[in-house]
PDB file of all heavy atoms in Angstrom:
ATOM      1  N   TRP A 843      -3.272  -3.366  -6.455  1.00 80.00           N
ATOM      2  CA  TRP A 843      -3.204  -1.986  -5.998  1.00 80.00           C
ATOM      3  C   TRP A 843      -2.566  -1.067  -7.045  1.00 80.00           C
ATOM      4  O   TRP A 843      -2.868   0.104  -7.114  1.00 80.00           O
ATOM      5  CB  TRP A 843      -2.415  -1.891  -4.690  1.00 80.00           C
ATOM      6  CG  TRP A 843      -3.314  -1.792  -3.499  1.00 80.00           C
ATOM      7  CD1 TRP A 843      -3.968  -0.693  -3.052  1.00 80.00           C
ATOM      8  CD2 TRP A 843      -3.685  -2.840  -2.614  1.00 80.00           C
ATOM      9  NE1 TRP A 843      -4.724  -0.998  -1.928  1.00 80.00           N
ATOM     10  CE2 TRP A 843      -4.553  -2.317  -1.644  1.00 80.00           C
ATOM     11  CE3 TRP A 843      -3.350  -4.204  -2.541  1.00 80.00           C
ATOM     12  CZ2 TRP A 843      -5.092  -3.070  -0.605  1.00 80.00           C
ATOM     13  CZ3 TRP A 843      -3.889  -4.940  -1.515  1.00 80.00           C
ATOM     14  CH2 TRP A 843      -4.750  -4.394  -0.567  1.00 80.00           C
ATOM     15  N   ASN A 844      -1.668  -1.616  -7.836  1.00 79.00           N
ATOM     16  CA  ASN A 844      -1.018  -0.814  -8.866  1.00 79.00           C
ATOM     17  C   ASN A 844      -1.864  -0.647 -10.112  1.00 79.00           C
ATOM     18  O   ASN A 844      -1.534   0.118 -11.000  1.00 79.00           O
ATOM     19  CB  ASN A 844       0.331  -1.432  -9.247  1.00 79.00           C
ATOM     20  CG  ASN A 844       1.307  -1.433  -8.097  1.00 79.00           C
ATOM     21  OD1 ASN A 844       1.194  -2.266  -7.193  1.00 79.00           O
ATOM     22  ND2 ASN A 844       2.246  -0.517  -8.093  1.00 79.00           N
ATOM     23  N   LEU A 845      -2.958  -1.415 -10.191  1.00 86.00           N
ATOM     24  CA  LEU A 845      -3.831  -1.351 -11.364  1.00 86.00           C
ATOM     25  C   LEU A 845      -5.016  -0.432 -11.143  1.00 86.00           C
ATOM     26  O   LEU A 845      -5.752  -0.130 -12.085  1.00 86.00           O
ATOM     27  CB  LEU A 845      -4.337  -2.746 -11.713  1.00 86.00           C
ATOM     28  CG  LEU A 845      -3.274  -3.805 -11.968  1.00 86.00           C
ATOM     29  CD1 LEU A 845      -3.923  -5.151 -12.222  1.00 86.00           C
ATOM     30  CD2 LEU A 845      -2.385  -3.405 -13.127  1.00 86.00           C
ATOM     31  N   ILE A 846      -5.239  -0.023  -9.899  1.00 90.00           N
ATOM     32  CA  ILE A 846      -6.378   0.854  -9.596  1.00 90.00           C
ATOM     33  C   ILE A 846      -5.862   2.104  -8.896  1.00 90.00           C
ATOM     34  O   ILE A 846      -4.699   2.179  -8.495  1.00 90.00           O
ATOM     35  CB  ILE A 846      -7.418   0.139  -8.700  1.00 90.00           C
ATOM     36  CG1 ILE A 846      -6.784  -0.301  -7.373  1.00 90.00           C
ATOM     37  CG2 ILE A 846      -8.035  -1.038  -9.427  1.00 90.00           C
ATOM     38  CD1 ILE A 846      -7.770  -0.890  -6.373  1.00 90.00           C
ATOM     39  N   GLY A 847      -6.747   3.055  -8.747  1.00 91.00           N
ATOM     40  CA  GLY A 847      -6.384   4.287  -8.054  1.00 91.00           C
ATOM     41  C   GLY A 847      -6.003   5.401  -9.012  1.00 91.00           C
ATOM     42  O   GLY A 847      -5.814   5.189 -10.209  1.00 91.00           O
ATOM     43  N   PRO A 848      -5.889   6.632  -8.500  1.00 90.00           N
ATOM     44  CA  PRO A 848      -5.556   7.797  -9.341  1.00 90.00           C
ATOM     45  C   PRO A 848      -4.285   7.626 -10.146  1.00 90.00           C
ATOM     46  O   PRO A 848      -4.223   8.019 -11.315  1.00 90.00           O
ATOM     47  CB  PRO A 848      -5.434   8.931  -8.325  1.00 90.00           C
ATOM     48  CG  PRO A 848      -6.287   8.510  -7.166  1.00 90.00           C
ATOM     49  CD  PRO A 848      -6.136   7.022  -7.098  1.00 90.00           C
ATOM     50  N   ASN A 849      -3.242   7.055  -9.550  1.00 84.00           N
ATOM     51  CA  ASN A 849      -1.972   6.927 -10.286  1.00 84.00           C
ATOM     52  C   ASN A 849      -2.114   6.006 -11.489  1.00 84.00           C
ATOM     53  O   ASN A 849      -1.559   6.276 -12.556  1.00 84.00           O
ATOM     54  CB  ASN A 849      -0.878   6.401  -9.355  1.00 84.00           C
ATOM     55  CG  ASN A 849      -0.447   7.439  -8.339  1.00 84.00           C
ATOM     56  OD1 ASN A 849      -0.595   8.634  -8.564  1.00 84.00           O
ATOM     57  ND2 ASN A 849       0.079   6.986  -7.211  1.00 84.00           N
ATOM     58  N   ALA A 850      -2.873   4.912 -11.310  1.00 86.00           N
ATOM     59  CA  ALA A 850      -3.084   3.995 -12.423  1.00 86.00           C
ATOM     60  C   ALA A 850      -3.864   4.673 -13.543  1.00 86.00           C
ATOM     61  O   ALA A 850      -3.560   4.502 -14.736  1.00 86.00           O
ATOM     62  CB  ALA A 850      -3.821   2.746 -11.951  1.00 86.00           C
ATOM     63  N   VAL A 851      -4.870   5.442 -13.164  1.00 90.00           N
ATOM     64  CA  VAL A 851      -5.681   6.145 -14.172  1.00 90.00           C
ATOM     65  C   VAL A 851      -4.839   7.208 -14.878  1.00 90.00           C
ATOM     66  O   VAL A 851      -4.898   7.363 -16.104  1.00 90.00           O
ATOM     67  CB  VAL A 851      -6.924   6.770 -13.517  1.00 90.00           C
ATOM     68  CG1 VAL A 851      -7.670   7.639 -14.520  1.00 90.00           C
ATOM     69  CG2 VAL A 851      -7.843   5.685 -12.975  1.00 90.00           C
ATOM     70  N   LYS A 852      -4.051   7.960 -14.105  1.00 87.00           N
ATOM     71  CA  LYS A 852      -3.175   8.969 -14.712  1.00 87.00           C
ATOM     72  C   LYS A 852      -2.247   8.317 -15.718  1.00 87.00           C
ATOM     73  O   LYS A 852      -1.975   8.865 -16.795  1.00 87.00           O
ATOM     74  CB  LYS A 852      -2.358   9.672 -13.636  1.00 87.00           C
ATOM     75  CG  LYS A 852      -3.159  10.595 -12.733  1.00 87.00           C
ATOM     76  CD  LYS A 852      -2.253  11.172 -11.653  1.00 87.00           C
ATOM     77  CE  LYS A 852      -3.034  12.005 -10.659  1.00 87.00           C
ATOM     78  NZ  LYS A 852      -2.171  12.515  -9.557  1.00 87.00           N
ATOM     79  N   ASN A 853      -1.731   7.151 -15.351  1.00 83.00           N
ATOM     80  CA  ASN A 853      -0.809   6.437 -16.230  1.00 83.00           C
ATOM     81  C   ASN A 853      -1.469   6.124 -17.556  1.00 83.00           C
ATOM     82  O   ASN A 853      -0.925   6.350 -18.642  1.00 83.00           O
ATOM     83  CB  ASN A 853      -0.348   5.155 -15.529  1.00 83.00           C
ATOM     84  CG  ASN A 853       0.846   4.526 -16.208  1.00 83.00           C
ATOM     85  OD1 ASN A 853       0.770   4.233 -17.390  1.00 83.00           O
ATOM     86  ND2 ASN A 853       1.903   4.315 -15.463  1.00 83.00           N
ATOM     87  N   THR A 854      -2.713   5.604 -17.484  1.00 89.00           N
ATOM     88  CA  THR A 854      -3.426   5.261 -18.703  1.00 89.00           C
ATOM     89  C   THR A 854      -3.750   6.499 -19.534  1.00 89.00           C
ATOM     90  O   THR A 854      -3.559   6.515 -20.761  1.00 89.00           O
ATOM     91  CB  THR A 854      -4.729   4.517 -18.365  1.00 89.00           C
ATOM     92  OG1 THR A 854      -4.402   3.301 -17.693  1.00 89.00           O
ATOM     93  CG2 THR A 854      -5.531   4.199 -19.611  1.00 89.00           C
ATOM     94  N   LEU A 855      -4.227   7.539 -18.874  1.00 90.00           N
ATOM     95  CA  LEU A 855      -4.598   8.762 -19.601  1.00 90.00           C
ATOM     96  C   LEU A 855      -3.388   9.503 -20.169  1.00 90.00           C
ATOM     97  O   LEU A 855      -3.544  10.443 -20.942  1.00 90.00           O
ATOM     98  CB  LEU A 855      -5.392   9.694 -18.687  1.00 90.00           C
ATOM     99  CG  LEU A 855      -6.761   9.155 -18.229  1.00 90.00           C
ATOM    100  CD1 LEU A 855      -7.440  10.140 -17.297  1.00 90.00           C
ATOM    101  CD2 LEU A 855      -7.646   8.847 -19.434  1.00 90.00           C
ATOM    102  N   ALA A 856      -2.188   9.055 -19.798  1.00 84.00           N
ATOM    103  CA  ALA A 856      -0.977   9.682 -20.319  1.00 84.00           C
ATOM    104  C   ALA A 856      -0.508   9.036 -21.634  1.00 84.00           C
ATOM    105  O   ALA A 856       0.559   9.366 -22.127  1.00 84.00           O
ATOM    106  CB  ALA A 856       0.144   9.592 -19.292  1.00 84.00           C
ATOM    107  N   ILE A 857      -1.305   8.111 -22.193  1.00 86.00           N
ATOM    108  CA  ILE A 857      -0.933   7.514 -23.476  1.00 86.00           C
ATOM    109  C   ILE A 857      -0.676   8.633 -24.495  1.00 86.00           C
ATOM    110  O   ILE A 857      -1.544   9.477 -24.741  1.00 86.00           O
ATOM    111  CB  ILE A 857      -2.045   6.578 -23.971  1.00 86.00           C
ATOM    112  CG1 ILE A 857      -2.132   5.331 -23.076  1.00 86.00           C
ATOM    113  CG2 ILE A 857      -1.804   6.153 -25.429  1.00 86.00           C
ATOM    114  CD1 ILE A 857      -3.245   4.374 -23.440  1.00 86.00           C
ATOM    115  N   PRO A 858       0.511   8.655 -25.099  1.00 81.00           N
ATOM    116  CA  PRO A 858       0.905   9.835 -25.876  1.00 81.00           C
ATOM    117  C   PRO A 858       0.492   9.824 -27.346  1.00 81.00           C
ATOM    118  O   PRO A 858       0.594  10.847 -28.008  1.00 81.00           O
ATOM    119  CB  PRO A 858       2.428   9.803 -25.777  1.00 81.00           C
ATOM    120  CG  PRO A 858       2.743   8.332 -25.704  1.00 81.00           C
ATOM    121  CD  PRO A 858       1.615   7.717 -24.941  1.00 81.00           C
ATOM    122  N   GLU A 859       0.053   8.686 -27.882  1.00 84.00           N
ATOM    123  CA  GLU A 859      -0.214   8.626 -29.326  1.00 84.00           C
ATOM    124  C   GLU A 859      -1.555   7.959 -29.612  1.00 84.00           C
ATOM    125  O   GLU A 859      -1.991   7.061 -28.876  1.00 84.00           O
ATOM    126  CB  GLU A 859       0.898   7.826 -30.032  1.00 84.00           C
ATOM    127  CG  GLU A 859       2.283   8.410 -29.893  1.00 84.00           C
ATOM    128  CD  GLU A 859       3.325   7.499 -30.520  1.00 84.00           C
ATOM    129  OE1 GLU A 859       2.930   6.573 -31.268  1.00 84.00           O
ATOM    130  OE2 GLU A 859       4.528   7.693 -30.248  1.00 84.00           O
ATOM    131  N   LEU A 860      -2.186   8.387 -30.676  1.00 88.00           N
ATOM    132  CA  LEU A 860      -3.451   7.811 -31.104  1.00 88.00           C
ATOM    133  C   LEU A 860      -3.298   6.330 -31.415  1.00 88.00           C
ATOM    134  O   LEU A 860      -4.142   5.516 -31.049  1.00 88.00           O
ATOM    135  CB  LEU A 860      -3.992   8.550 -32.334  1.00 88.00           C
ATOM    136  CG  LEU A 860      -5.237   7.927 -32.989  1.00 88.00           C
ATOM    137  CD1 LEU A 860      -6.406   7.907 -32.025  1.00 88.00           C
ATOM    138  CD2 LEU A 860      -5.591   8.687 -34.277  1.00 88.00           C
ATOM    139  N   LYS A 861      -2.204   5.983 -32.082  1.00 87.00           N
ATOM    140  CA  LYS A 861      -2.010   4.586 -32.478  1.00 87.00           C
ATOM    141  C   LYS A 861      -1.961   3.668 -31.265  1.00 87.00           C
ATOM    142  O   LYS A 861      -2.542   2.581 -31.272  1.00 87.00           O
ATOM    143  CB  LYS A 861      -0.719   4.457 -33.296  1.00 87.00           C
ATOM    144  CG  LYS A 861      -0.498   3.065 -33.852  1.00 87.00           C
ATOM    145  CD  LYS A 861       0.740   3.026 -34.740  1.00 87.00           C
ATOM    146  CE  LYS A 861       0.944   1.636 -35.318  1.00 87.00           C
ATOM    147  NZ  LYS A 861       2.154   1.581 -36.193  1.00 87.00           N
ATOM    148  N   ILE A 862      -1.286   4.110 -30.201  1.00 87.00           N
ATOM    149  CA  ILE A 862      -1.210   3.301 -28.985  1.00 87.00           C
ATOM    150  C   ILE A 862      -2.608   3.177 -28.376  1.00 87.00           C
ATOM    151  O   ILE A 862      -3.006   2.081 -27.929  1.00 87.00           O
ATOM    152  CB  ILE A 862      -0.238   3.932 -27.973  1.00 87.00           C
ATOM    153  CG1 ILE A 862       1.182   3.941 -28.528  1.00 87.00           C
ATOM    154  CG2 ILE A 862      -0.272   3.172 -26.657  1.00 87.00           C
ATOM    155  CD1 ILE A 862       2.185   4.644 -27.634  1.00 87.00           C
ATOM    156  N   ALA A 863      -3.344   4.275 -28.326  1.00 91.00           N
ATOM    157  CA  ALA A 863      -4.681   4.248 -27.754  1.00 91.00           C
ATOM    158  C   ALA A 863      -5.585   3.331 -28.555  1.00 91.00           C
ATOM    159  O   ALA A 863      -6.388   2.577 -27.987  1.00 91.00           O
ATOM    160  CB  ALA A 863      -5.246   5.662 -27.705  1.00 91.00           C
ATOM    161  N   GLN A 864      -5.498   3.363 -29.881  1.00 91.00           N
ATOM    162  CA  GLN A 864      -6.314   2.480 -30.716  1.00 91.00           C
ATOM    163  C   GLN A 864      -5.974   1.005 -30.468  1.00 91.00           C
ATOM    164  O   GLN A 864      -6.856   0.155 -30.418  1.00 91.00           O
ATOM    165  CB  GLN A 864      -6.128   2.840 -32.185  1.00 91.00           C
ATOM    166  CG  GLN A 864      -6.745   4.169 -32.571  1.00 91.00           C
ATOM    167  CD  GLN A 864      -6.407   4.590 -33.985  1.00 91.00           C
ATOM    168  OE1 GLN A 864      -5.319   4.265 -34.515  1.00 91.00           O
ATOM    169  NE2 GLN A 864      -7.328   5.307 -34.627  1.00 91.00           N
ATOM    170  N   THR A 865      -4.673   0.771 -30.315  1.00 91.00           N
ATOM    171  CA  THR A 865      -4.253  -0.603 -29.990  1.00 91.00           C
ATOM    172  C   THR A 865      -4.826  -1.045 -28.652  1.00 91.00           C
ATOM    173  O   THR A 865      -5.298  -2.176 -28.502  1.00 91.00           O
ATOM    174  CB  THR A 865      -2.722  -0.702 -29.945  1.00 91.00           C
ATOM    175  OG1 THR A 865      -2.188  -0.344 -31.223  1.00 91.00           O
ATOM    176  CG2 THR A 865      -2.271  -2.119 -29.585  1.00 91.00           C
ATOM    177  N   ALA A 866      -4.834  -0.142 -27.681  1.00 93.00           N
ATOM    178  CA  ALA A 866      -5.374  -0.461 -26.359  1.00 93.00           C
ATOM    179  C   ALA A 866      -6.859  -0.757 -26.430  1.00 93.00           C
ATOM    180  O   ALA A 866      -7.362  -1.679 -25.784  1.00 93.00           O
ATOM    181  CB  ALA A 866      -5.101   0.687 -25.388  1.00 93.00           C
ATOM    182  N   VAL A 867      -7.605   0.036 -27.244  1.00 95.00           N
ATOM    183  CA  VAL A 867      -9.031  -0.231 -27.426  1.00 95.00           C
ATOM    184  C   VAL A 867      -9.238  -1.621 -27.989  1.00 95.00           C
ATOM    185  O   VAL A 867     -10.084  -2.399 -27.502  1.00 95.00           O
ATOM    186  CB  VAL A 867      -9.678   0.828 -28.357  1.00 95.00           C
ATOM    187  CG1 VAL A 867     -11.111   0.416 -28.701  1.00 95.00           C
ATOM    188  CG2 VAL A 867      -9.659   2.192 -27.712  1.00 95.00           C
ATOM    189  N   HIS A 868      -8.483  -1.957 -28.992  1.00 94.00           N
ATOM    190  CA  HIS A 868      -8.586  -3.285 -29.621  1.00 94.00           C
ATOM    191  C   HIS A 868      -8.252  -4.388 -28.625  1.00 94.00           C
ATOM    192  O   HIS A 868      -8.952  -5.408 -28.551  1.00 94.00           O
ATOM    193  CB  HIS A 868      -7.661  -3.343 -30.833  1.00 94.00           C
ATOM    194  CG  HIS A 868      -7.641  -4.673 -31.512  1.00 94.00           C
ATOM    195  ND1 HIS A 868      -8.692  -5.141 -32.283  1.00 94.00           N
ATOM    196  CD2 HIS A 868      -6.711  -5.657 -31.522  1.00 94.00           C
ATOM    197  CE1 HIS A 868      -8.413  -6.347 -32.730  1.00 94.00           C
ATOM    198  NE2 HIS A 868      -7.207  -6.696 -32.293  1.00 94.00           N
ATOM    199  N   ARG A 869      -7.205  -4.163 -27.850  1.00 93.00           N
ATOM    200  CA  ARG A 869      -6.789  -5.185 -26.875  1.00 93.00           C
ATOM    201  C   ARG A 869      -7.854  -5.390 -25.805  1.00 93.00           C
ATOM    202  O   ARG A 869      -8.173  -6.517 -25.448  1.00 93.00           O
ATOM    203  CB  ARG A 869      -5.467  -4.767 -26.224  1.00 93.00           C
ATOM    204  CG  ARG A 869      -4.289  -4.766 -27.180  1.00 93.00           C
ATOM    205  CD  ARG A 869      -3.665  -6.145 -27.356  1.00 93.00           C
ATOM    206  NE  ARG A 869      -2.917  -6.510 -26.176  1.00 93.00           N
ATOM    207  CZ  ARG A 869      -3.272  -7.450 -25.305  1.00 93.00           C
ATOM    208  NH1 ARG A 869      -4.392  -8.127 -25.463  1.00 93.00           N
ATOM    209  NH2 ARG A 869      -2.515  -7.718 -24.265  1.00 93.00           N
ATOM    210  N   PHE A 870      -8.396  -4.328 -25.276  1.00 95.00           N
ATOM    211  CA  PHE A 870      -9.419  -4.481 -24.243  1.00 95.00           C
ATOM    212  C   PHE A 870     -10.681  -5.128 -24.793  1.00 95.00           C
ATOM    213  O   PHE A 870     -11.328  -5.930 -24.107  1.00 95.00           O
ATOM    214  CB  PHE A 870      -9.749  -3.126 -23.614  1.00 95.00           C
ATOM    215  CG  PHE A 870      -8.825  -2.746 -22.496  1.00 95.00           C
ATOM    216  CD1 PHE A 870      -8.028  -1.618 -22.599  1.00 95.00           C
ATOM    217  CD2 PHE A 870      -8.713  -3.533 -21.354  1.00 95.00           C
ATOM    218  CE1 PHE A 870      -7.151  -1.266 -21.578  1.00 95.00           C
ATOM    219  CE2 PHE A 870      -7.834  -3.186 -20.332  1.00 95.00           C
ATOM    220  CZ  PHE A 870      -7.058  -2.055 -20.442  1.00 95.00           C
ATOM    221  N   THR A 871     -11.052  -4.791 -26.035  1.00 94.00           N
ATOM    222  CA  THR A 871     -12.212  -5.420 -26.645  1.00 94.00           C
ATOM    223  C   THR A 871     -11.996  -6.929 -26.747  1.00 94.00           C
ATOM    224  O   THR A 871     -12.899  -7.734 -26.465  1.00 94.00           O
ATOM    225  CB  THR A 871     -12.466  -4.833 -28.051  1.00 94.00           C
ATOM    226  OG1 THR A 871     -12.736  -3.436 -27.918  1.00 94.00           O
ATOM    227  CG2 THR A 871     -13.650  -5.515 -28.710  1.00 94.00           C
TER     228      THR A 871
END
Side-chain angles (χ1 to χ4, degrees):
W843 260 281
N844 296 77
L845 303 177
I846 60 174
N849 288 336
V851 173
K852 290 177 185 177
N853 194 303
T854 298
L855 295 178
I857 291 177
E859 299 175 14
L860 173 61
K861 185 176 181 180
I862 296 176
Q864 290 173 328
T865 300
V867 172
H868 177 73
R869 293 277 287 109
F870 275 118
T871 299

